[in-house]
PDB file of all heavy atoms in Angstrom:
ATOM      1  N   LEU A  25       3.780  14.628  -9.944  1.00 90.00           N
ATOM      2  CA  LEU A  25       5.092  14.422  -9.465  1.00 90.00           C
ATOM      3  C   LEU A  25       5.133  14.009  -8.000  1.00 90.00           C
ATOM      4  O   LEU A  25       5.898  13.148  -7.568  1.00 90.00           O
ATOM      5  CB  LEU A  25       5.987  15.712  -9.629  1.00 90.00           C
ATOM      6  CG  LEU A  25       7.399  15.648  -9.087  1.00 90.00           C
ATOM      7  CD1 LEU A  25       8.212  14.595  -9.823  1.00 90.00           C
ATOM      8  CD2 LEU A  25       8.032  17.047  -9.234  1.00 90.00           C
ATOM      9  N   VAL A  29       7.140  10.582  -6.875  1.00 90.00           N
ATOM     10  CA  VAL A  29       8.262  10.447  -5.945  1.00 90.00           C
ATOM     11  C   VAL A  29       8.017   9.588  -4.806  1.00 90.00           C
ATOM     12  O   VAL A  29       8.880   9.222  -4.017  1.00 90.00           O
ATOM     13  CB  VAL A  29       8.712  11.910  -5.491  1.00 90.00           C
ATOM     14  CG1 VAL A  29       9.167  12.736  -6.575  1.00 90.00           C
ATOM     15  CG2 VAL A  29       7.713  12.478  -4.617  1.00 90.00           C
ATOM     16  N   GLN A  88      10.877   8.220   1.827  1.00 63.00           N
ATOM     17  CA  GLN A  88      11.070   9.719   2.215  1.00 63.00           C
ATOM     18  C   GLN A  88      11.214  10.437   0.984  1.00 63.00           C
ATOM     19  O   GLN A  88      12.303  10.436   0.333  1.00 63.00           O
ATOM     20  CB  GLN A  88      12.338   9.750   3.096  1.00 63.00           C
ATOM     21  CG  GLN A  88      12.254   8.929   4.317  1.00 63.00           C
ATOM     22  CD  GLN A  88      11.127   9.364   5.305  1.00 63.00           C
ATOM     23  OE1 GLN A  88      10.763  10.503   5.442  1.00 63.00           O
ATOM     24  NE2 GLN A  88      10.442   8.371   5.913  1.00 63.00           N
ATOM     25  N   PRO A  89      10.181  11.176   0.516  1.00 53.00           N
ATOM     26  CA  PRO A  89      10.256  11.845  -0.771  1.00 53.00           C
ATOM     27  C   PRO A  89      11.489  12.794  -0.895  1.00 53.00           C
ATOM     28  O   PRO A  89      11.986  12.977  -2.074  1.00 53.00           O
ATOM     29  CB  PRO A  89       8.942  12.631  -0.799  1.00 53.00           C
ATOM     30  CG  PRO A  89       8.073  11.998   0.168  1.00 53.00           C
ATOM     31  CD  PRO A  89       8.961  11.322   1.139  1.00 53.00           C
ATOM     32  N   GLU A  90      11.925  13.476   0.197  1.00 56.00           N
ATOM     33  CA  GLU A  90      13.043  14.362   0.030  1.00 56.00           C
ATOM     34  C   GLU A  90      14.347  13.692  -0.434  1.00 56.00           C
ATOM     35  O   GLU A  90      15.198  14.354  -0.963  1.00 56.00           O
ATOM     36  CB  GLU A  90      13.314  15.131   1.345  1.00 56.00           C
ATOM     37  CG  GLU A  90      13.728  14.298   2.509  1.00 56.00           C
ATOM     38  CD  GLU A  90      12.456  13.794   3.348  1.00 56.00           C
ATOM     39  OE1 GLU A  90      11.323  13.897   2.902  1.00 56.00           O
ATOM     40  OE2 GLU A  90      12.743  13.162   4.418  1.00 56.00           O
ATOM     41  N   ASN A  91      14.439  12.381  -0.319  1.00 48.00           N
ATOM     42  CA  ASN A  91      15.561  11.607  -0.759  1.00 48.00           C
ATOM     43  C   ASN A  91      15.502  11.298  -2.262  1.00 48.00           C
ATOM     44  O   ASN A  91      16.414  10.726  -2.790  1.00 48.00           O
ATOM     45  CB  ASN A  91      15.729  10.241   0.034  1.00 48.00           C
ATOM     46  CG  ASN A  91      15.924  10.561   1.406  1.00 48.00           C
ATOM     47  OD1 ASN A  91      16.572  11.561   1.846  1.00 48.00           O
ATOM     48  ND2 ASN A  91      15.553   9.661   2.282  1.00 48.00           N
ATOM     49  N   TYR A  92      14.359  11.550  -2.917  1.00 48.00           N
ATOM     50  CA  TYR A  92      14.182  11.199  -4.290  1.00 48.00           C
ATOM     51  C   TYR A  92      13.769  12.375  -5.154  1.00 48.00           C
ATOM     52  O   TYR A  92      13.117  12.178  -6.206  1.00 48.00           O
ATOM     53  CB  TYR A  92      13.037  10.097  -4.349  1.00 48.00           C
ATOM     54  CG  TYR A  92      13.483   8.855  -3.681  1.00 48.00           C
ATOM     55  CD1 TYR A  92      13.134   8.594  -2.410  1.00 48.00           C
ATOM     56  CD2 TYR A  92      14.225   7.902  -4.338  1.00 48.00           C
ATOM     57  CE1 TYR A  92      13.487   7.433  -1.695  1.00 48.00           C
ATOM     58  CE2 TYR A  92      14.644   6.729  -3.698  1.00 48.00           C
ATOM     59  CZ  TYR A  92      14.233   6.461  -2.361  1.00 48.00           C
ATOM     60  OH  TYR A  92      14.615   5.334  -1.798  1.00 48.00           O
ATOM     61  N   ARG A  93      14.216  13.574  -4.865  1.00 48.00           N
ATOM     62  CA  ARG A  93      13.921  14.687  -5.758  1.00 48.00           C
ATOM     63  C   ARG A  93      14.558  14.557  -7.119  1.00 48.00           C
ATOM     64  O   ARG A  93      15.706  14.081  -7.221  1.00 48.00           O
ATOM     65  CB  ARG A  93      14.448  15.974  -5.089  1.00 48.00           C
ATOM     66  CG  ARG A  93      13.700  16.328  -3.832  1.00 48.00           C
ATOM     67  CD  ARG A  93      13.706  17.825  -3.594  1.00 48.00           C
ATOM     68  NE  ARG A  93      13.218  18.149  -2.302  1.00 48.00           N
ATOM     69  CZ  ARG A  93      11.858  18.149  -1.955  1.00 48.00           C
ATOM     70  NH1 ARG A  93      10.952  17.823  -2.755  1.00 48.00           N
ATOM     71  NH2 ARG A  93      11.524  18.487  -0.718  1.00 48.00           N
ATOM     72  N   ARG A  94      13.794  14.882  -8.119  1.00 47.00           N
ATOM     73  CA  ARG A  94      14.345  14.910  -9.463  1.00 47.00           C
ATOM     74  C   ARG A  94      15.123  16.150  -9.788  1.00 47.00           C
ATOM     75  O   ARG A  94      14.809  17.217  -9.306  1.00 47.00           O
ATOM     76  CB  ARG A  94      13.192  14.766 -10.500  1.00 47.00           C
ATOM     77  CG  ARG A  94      12.477  13.435 -10.378  1.00 47.00           C
ATOM     78  CD  ARG A  94      11.469  13.281 -11.489  1.00 47.00           C
ATOM     79  NE  ARG A  94      10.822  12.040 -11.315  1.00 47.00           N
ATOM     80  CZ  ARG A  94       9.803  11.709 -12.002  1.00 47.00           C
ATOM     81  NH1 ARG A  94       9.243  12.543 -12.857  1.00 47.00           N
ATOM     82  NH2 ARG A  94       9.232  10.490 -11.866  1.00 47.00           N
ATOM     83  N   VAL A  95      16.108  15.996 -10.546  1.00 41.00           N
ATOM     84  CA  VAL A  95      17.023  17.095 -10.857  1.00 41.00           C
ATOM     85  C   VAL A  95      16.615  17.559 -12.232  1.00 41.00           C
ATOM     86  O   VAL A  95      16.257  16.833 -13.147  1.00 41.00           O
ATOM     87  CB  VAL A  95      18.483  16.658 -10.841  1.00 41.00           C
ATOM     88  CG1 VAL A  95      19.367  17.881 -11.243  1.00 41.00           C
ATOM     89  CG2 VAL A  95      18.861  16.208  -9.529  1.00 41.00           C
TER      90      VAL A  95
END
Side-chain angles (χ1 to χ4, degrees):
L25 177 61
V29 298
Q88 300 300 321
E90 61 272 8
N91 295 331
Y92 294 96
R93 294 208 191 281
R94 292 186 179 168
V95 178

